[in-house]
Amino acid sequence: MEISTLKTGSSVAEPREVAVDIQSLNKWYGTFHVLKDIDLRIHVGQQVVVCGPSGSGKSTLIRCVNQLERHQDGQIFIYGQEVGAVAKRLHELRRDVGMVFQHFNLFPHITVLQNCTLAMRRARSIPRREAEDIARHYLERVRIPEQVHKFPSQLSGGQQQRVAIARALCMKPKVMLFDEPTSALDPEMINEVLDVMIELARDGMTMMCVTHEMGFARKVADSIVFMDGGRIVESAPPSEFFTNPQNERTRAFLRQIL
Amino acid sequence: MNFNLDFAIASLPIILSALGTTIWVTIVSCLGAALLGFTFEILRRSSRVMSYVMRFLIDFIRSTPVLVQLYFLYFVLPFYGVTLPSYVVGILGLSLYYSGYLAEVFKAGIDGIPSGQFEAAHALGLRRLDIVIFVIAPQMLRNIAAPMGNYFVSILKATPYLAIIAVPEMLGQAMEIASDTFRYAEPMLTVGVIFLVLAVSIAQLVRLMETRLLKSAKR
């Protein structure tokens, strides 16, 4: 626990544990400098939205948090544990960090229910019955109760993404990462996924979310981070971010998408 | 020499007496080759050093004739104190030889799995071995059922090689009839037809498996 001046600008007064702490993070692809001196802190129960033009490094940043991408410099802590330092036990750390992908990435060869129970059974050693009960609970929460024995390909994109969210929730993660969760969806399916995410946020889930859904950001984000050229150029609560952006590039971006 | 149908039918029971041997040697060799080949391919992906080591091993296995490998195991190893029964040598030889080819097939099958599958599995915190068994292997099998089946047929058709190291499989039995009676046409044709039936059966089985796998999940 720490009593902090919240970097993210949220005016929460009580001390809160830091869930994700990114400190002077740098990453290169070969000679290309993708992430430049990123500092970002997400407290428990906070929701942070990361936005920015494509190629700005936002997906790379979120993928560094659970080390799907390795960084070369700087540190990332999840609940005080440094992620880069524990290569051997990385899989244990990842169990506490749920991730939802742009393209859902459900396992196509097993049913919806098995998608949800696989990690619980293999990584958390939860017996089958119990795992299935937990899975059904979360599938109900994301409103996929009737289709647990279907295969992912038999569901719509929106349904698949909601299953993916349930699959992540089944592990009872301490943080949820969303990497453009609605970008691959048909427009009429975006809201059913966003509604689930809004509920999650209301329930106090700690979330880091790369998205261009500004309506969602306005509704739930404690803080919106704008990235450009591998840097965080602006970080502010939605009220300030939308009405009084400080950076010219942020203003240009907002003009484009709003 | 005229073809004598009665003689062909008379030789059938003797040749069929070796059918069991041919079948179980084929099955065990297929399993052995698949297991070895899969292990090679997984090891090849595990680290940079292993990738060089396994690449070399796989190329070495594939680039030497199966007969040379069989002779080596059967005739050379005993000089170093390793004397294996001919069955074991035969199964080991076929498994090893075809594992090199199957490793290549598995490589293509794994390359065909979208990277998001690996990422999702890692993000869930699954261990490497669990990822291999529960996420990679089943999807790989779906991608490669047909080429893998072809190699299973090849293994079946390679079992006659084992005649030369005294495994009593079908061609060996046919040769015995032939050298006793100096009639080659009937026993050879009989053996050929039996192999044809077996090969077609395997191909059908694989096709059945493939449609079942594809039906379970399309992507």
Side-chain angles (χ1 to χ4, degrees), chain A residues 53-204:
Chain A
S54 62
S56 59
K58 50 197 191 312
S59 273
T60 308
L61 175 63
I62 202 170
R63 288 159 60 85
C64 279
V65 173
N66 66 351
Q67 293 287 287
L68 290 181
E69 304 271 358
R70 296 301 176 93
H71 56 276
Q72 283 89 19
D73 192 30
Q75 289 169 309
I76 300 174
F77 298 91
I78 292 176
Y79 284 81
Q81 285 225 58
E82 202 201 331
V83 295
V86 292
K88 276 251 157 69
R89 296 189 305 110
L90 191 56
H91 60 275
E92 287 175 24
L93 211 132
R94 282 169 169 158
R95 289 168 191 169
D96 294 331
V97 182
M99 187 161 201
V100 175
F101 299 85
Q102 183 178 357
H103 296 287
F104 332 135
N105 298 352
L106 292 176
F107 305 129
H109 59 292
I110 51 180
T111 64
V112 163
L113 191 66
Q114 291 166 331
N115 262 278
C116 293
T117 56
L118 177 63
M120 282 194 277
R121 295 182 59 194
R122 301 306 309 174
R124 294 233 196 264
S125 305
I126 298 174
R128 188 169 71 103
R129 273 292 162 73
E130 201 186 328
E132 286 182 358
D133 287 344
I134 297 171
R136 283 175 202 278
H137 167 77
Y138 283 108
L139 285 168
E140 216 157 287
R141 251 186 88 178
V142 302
R143 295 183 277 279
I144 310 270
E146 304 296 329
Q147 336 224 28
V148 299
H149 294 299
K150 286 191 177 171
F151 286 93
S153 60
Q154 296 170 293
L155 302 183
S156 73
Q159 290 171 325
Q160 288 192 44
Q161 192 61 300
R162 284 183 281 142
V163 171
I165 294 172
R167 176 175 71 174
L169 291 176
C170 282
M171 295 296 280
K172 307 233 160 79
K174 295 178 183 165
V175 190
M176 283 285 283
L177 309 176
F178 292 85
D179 187 4
E180 305 211 28
T182 57
S183 303
L185 292 175
D186 292 335
E188 74 267 26
M189 292 169 181
I190 290 176
N191 278 327
E192 62 190 61
V193 171
L194 287 181
D195 287 346
V196 167
M197 291 168 62
I198 290 167
E199 266 173 46
L200 259 187
R202 297 265 150 88
D203 289 349

